[in-house]
Amino acid sequence: MPPTPSTTLRILLIEDQRDIAANIWDFLESRGHEMDHCPDGVSGLERALHGNFDVVVLDLGLPRMDGLELCHHLREAGRGVPVLMLTARDTLEDKLRGFAEGADDYLVKPFAMRELEARLRAICRRHNPMEAAPAFAGLAFDPRTMTAWRGGRRIPLPRLQGVLLGVLLREAPRIVSHATLIGAAWGEDGADTAALQTQIYELRNAVDKPFDTPLLHSVRGVGYRLVEP
Ligand code: CA
């Protein structure tokens, strides 16, 4: 099946072994992804810090700076780009160290190219806020940082309001019932509609009040919805 533009990933490959790098590049490029490659840790970190990638494929054993250190610096710099780590050995210790430094997934060489691609897609789905909670009418929410975005403005949200906005965005423009919102934010035997109203009031203050047009609307006796102005 030919790849479509919407499934294209921008992938940074940091791998020093030429044959492996060439195999990965050729396969992923043939699947329609945009590839970039660095053969060592120092240039890889530089590229990962300043480039715009959906995901990084990172070899553990690299010249100049190994994969663990690279990953550590990347996270220290506040970069949340997902990282899939490649390693020659399947040891628990490597795996734990990789995750401790901020890797998101782990693949042991040799691996099937199709599996690599499937894993990359999976971690991008998990990471991509636009897929996790799609933007609607210029309003977006990133659940990883509990941050909403509207009109170029960054709006940090408390947890409950973030959860509520995430649900509303995923369902938009459909109505989300009071019960669904309460269940999502507080769990099964959670709060009442008064508590929900309070949180929605605060959410409106954050994402609607500073702007000309309100997006979040009440549907009396039923629930709430986001409406395109
Ligand atoms: Ca290597």
Side-chain angles (χ1 to χ4, degrees):
M1 199 171 66
T4 59
S6 64
T7 60
T8 294
L9 300 177
R10 286 156 304 172
I11 301 169
L12 173 60
L13 171 63
I14 309 174
E15 163 68 78
D16 59 316
Q17 260 173 283
R18 276 186 185 202
D19 52 340
I20 295 179
N23 281 342
I24 292 175
W25 176 297
D26 289 349
F27 178 80
L28 291 175
E29 194 178 51
S30 78
R31 301 284 295 168
H33 302 295
E34 282 174 31
M35 300 301 296
D36 201 345
H37 171 242
C38 291
D40 68 81
V42 172
S43 66
L45 177 62
E46 190 65 16
R47 197 76 58 90
L49 284 173
H50 302 292
N52 183 20
F53 299 98
D54 295 309
V55 63
V56 176
V57 179
L58 177 62
D59 188 30
L60 186 61
L62 288 170
R64 300 181 73 197
M65 179 190 293
D66 75 21
L68 289 173
E69 199 184 337
L70 192 160
C71 202
H72 178 81
H73 287 306
L74 196 60
R75 297 307 184 225
E76 211 174 40
R79 300 304 301 262
V81 61
V83 170
L84 183 141
M85 209 169 264
L86 302 177
T87 176
R89 295 172 304 160
D90 184 14
T91 69
L92 183 62
E93 197 194 340
D94 279 357
K95 211 175 283 194
L96 293 177
R97 284 174 66 208
F99 287 134
E101 296 300 354
D104 298 271
D105 201 1
Y106 191 94
L107 208 49
V108 179
K109 298 172 182 175
F111 49 82
M113 290 295 162
R114 298 184 76 90
E115 172 158 25
L116 173 62
E117 192 196 16
R119 299 273 196 105
L120 293 176
R121 285 193 187 287
I123 59 177
C124 287
R125 265 198 305 277
R126 288 208 301 271
H127 271 78
N128 191 337
M130 296 311 164
E131 284 189 35
F136 179 79
L139 174 63
F141 174 65
D142 181 350
R144 290 171 301 169
T145 56
M146 284 287 151
T147 304
W149 299 85
R150 187 174 173 190
R153 206 177 298 192
R154 183 179 168 277
I155 309 165
L157 293 176
R159 193 190 68 86
L160 287 176
Q161 289 165 48
V163 170
L164 294 172
L165 180 59
V167 175
L168 287 161
L169 277 171
R170 273 195 296 276
E171 295 299 322
R174 291 187 290 271
I175 299 167
V176 185
S177 73
H178 294 141
T180 300
L181 289 167
I182 289 170
W186 287 275
E188 292 251 318
D189 20 62
D192 51 21
T193 42
L196 176 62
Q197 275 169 2
T198 304
Q199 294 299 324
I200 292 284
Y201 175 80
E202 297 293 338
L203 181 59
R204 275 202 176 112
N205 279 343
V207 301
D208 267 349
K209 209 175 170 192
F211 301 90
D212 291 340
T213 34
L215 298 175
L216 180 50
H217 296 263
S218 307
V219 183
R220 190 176 290 274
V222 183
Y224 295 92
R225 65 189 297 210
L226 293 167
V227 179
E228 190 124 28

